[in-house]
Amino acid sequence: MKSPPFEYARAASIDEACALLAQHGDAAKLLAGGQSLVPMMAMRLLRPAWLVDINEIAALKDIAVDERGARTAACARQVDIERDTALAARVPLLGRALAWVGHVQTRNRGTVGGSLAHADPSAELPLVAQLLGAKMRLRSARGTRSVEADAFFGGPMTTTLAPDECLEVIEWPAWPERRLGCAFVETAARHGDFAMASAAAQIGLDADGRCTRVALGLGGVGMTPLAFPALTARLVGSRPTPADLDDLARDAAAQTEPNDDLHASSEYRRHLARVLAARALRAALEDAEREK
Amino acid sequence: MSEALYPITVEVNGVQRTAQVPARLSLVDWLRDELRLTGTHVGCEHGVCGACSILLDGEAVRACLMYAVQADAHRVTTVEGLAAPDGGLSVLQDSFCEAHGLQCGYCTSGMLVAAQALLDANPRPSDDEIRAAIGGNLCRCTGYQQIVEAIRLAAERLQEKRA
Ligand code: FES
Ligand code: FES
């Protein structure tokens, strides 16, 4: 359980990190919080010749919030997102999700960008990114490009990041609705462990209690985190009943193709997806209705 | 092939320590094997058990998920650094004895560090907050209940001391 040998470089700036990636290509990996990468190294699932440590780059820690949403630099720690009250007011779903992410010790070190770039389909932050349509800014020595979450996630532990690219900033859009509700729920063997399935929902209401916007996401039940814009659109303009929410949850779960593994069968995961989706939708609606 | 060595200077329990370390040496192995601070334990070596918890710049982290080279220019506190100034047990440590918060002791240094981080940030934690704070630390002996009681007792005693 010891990491294989590698060469270490502590990048002082994003430019330096990108230059090192350009130089070493596939042989180098970025080291952010290390809460997934280091275990994978210890288990010898990865053997990069170089680790480029981006933990000391001050510009990669920034968190900025305005009415359009939150911009979190990739190396902002999960704990800093959790404690940011301005961010919680604009993008409350992030805080709700983080309550399920790992443990105190891992959130103190784990970063938001690291979780997205790791792209575990059962992880919470990728699900929030998918559900909200977060935008990732990717930077390399060749330039900068922006990618929506949907295009960013390519499969389990797979993203569109090229070997020489660094995830720099994530833009989390805020919804303008004053009556906004959201919820995140999951099932895991121990709180903070990998989710067997997870669900997130966000609902905006007008003054009459009609949905202006609805988003639903499911994690751990597909190759990537899943969002269901075509299904949720049908609730817009209506005052949904509990039965409407259950129907939506059932239809979304029916579209998933979960894997079997040691922890849960495919069938059980799909069952969880339906139950958790219904719970998340109901909790999000109640949350929105509390805002008068 | 001999591995490259990287110079580090780390403040460990208030003392500046310098060393030359290979990149792949974990922080917990450096603390235990090189500095002989064996109070910090190693269980799983991949971030599951919490036995290796230390304070990095005052916040609890897993020392098996950091390389020693990354601690350069940072401040580390291990369980040895939690003791009272006279070297005796701290209020928290004594509370673990009092409430039977340990049996074999394997998880204890990690539990103490997690509890210390909690009490530093939140002197009056609820039981739920105590449970959340040690949620990433496995104990195979106690059933956790006495650990929660020990931390609650420490919080009460520290309140009294302050009053
Ligand atoms: S030894 Fe570090 S978490 Fe188990
Ligand atoms: S006292 Fe034995 S593992 Fe906790």
Side-chain angles (χ1 to χ4, degrees), chain A residues 73-268:
Chain A
C75 247
R77 307 254 180 232
Q78 290 159 5
V79 64
D80 294 327
I81 310 261
E82 225 178 323
R83 288 178 186 158
D84 194 309
T85 49
L87 186 149
R90 290 287 178 198
V91 193
L93 186 56
L94 267 176
R96 307 266 160 96
L98 277 166
W100 298 92
V101 175
H103 308 283
V104 176
Q105 293 99 320
T106 60
R107 292 194 300 273
N108 279 340
R109 195 75 195 146
T111 66
V112 55
S115 171
L116 296 175
H118 183 56
D120 186 322
S122 70
E124 293 81 6
L125 294 177
L127 177 54
V128 175
Q130 184 76 291
L131 179 144
L132 294 178
K135 243 194 224 112
M136 329 282 175
R137 191 158 87 217
L138 317 183
R139 174 135 155 217
S140 71
R142 296 171 288 127
T144 299
R145 63 179 176 129
S146 242
V147 180
E148 295 243 346
D150 194 38
F152 181 77
F153 299 116
M157 320 300 179
T158 308
T159 69
T160 181
L161 278 164
D164 66 341
E165 273 179 324
C166 170
L167 175 55
E168 186 181 15
V169 177
I170 304 100
E171 288 176 33
W172 308 87
W175 287 12
E177 284 85 352
R178 210 173 42 79
R179 302 184 73 193
L180 180 74
C182 65
F184 198 108
V185 289
E186 73 176 45
T187 299
R190 163 179 72 154
H191 187 104
D193 283 1
F194 292 105
M196 292 179 212
S198 53
Q202 183 155 301
I203 296 180
L205 295 177
D206 66 15
D208 297 332
R210 287 178 206 282
C211 292
T212 48
R213 221 184 316 189
V214 181
L216 171 67
L218 289 170
V221 291
M223 307 294 260
T224 64
L226 305 169
F228 301 89
L231 290 178
T232 52
R234 71 189 189 205
L235 292 188
V236 172
S238 75
R239 282 199 200 91
T241 64
D244 294 336
L245 301 180
D246 287 349
D247 286 348
L248 176 58
R250 190 199 55 226
D251 293 349
Q255 290 186 7
T256 65
E257 290 176 3
N259 275 338
D260 275 311
D261 68 19
L262 185 68
H263 304 290
S265 67
S266 166
E267 201 188 335
Y268 180 56

Side-chain angles (χ1 to χ4, degrees), chain B residues 28 41-53 62-65 136:
Chain B
V28 70
H41 291 169
V42 206
C44 64
E45 292 193 296
H46 66 286
V48 175
C49 72
C52 64
S53 299
R62 301 189 152 161
C64 71
L65 296 188

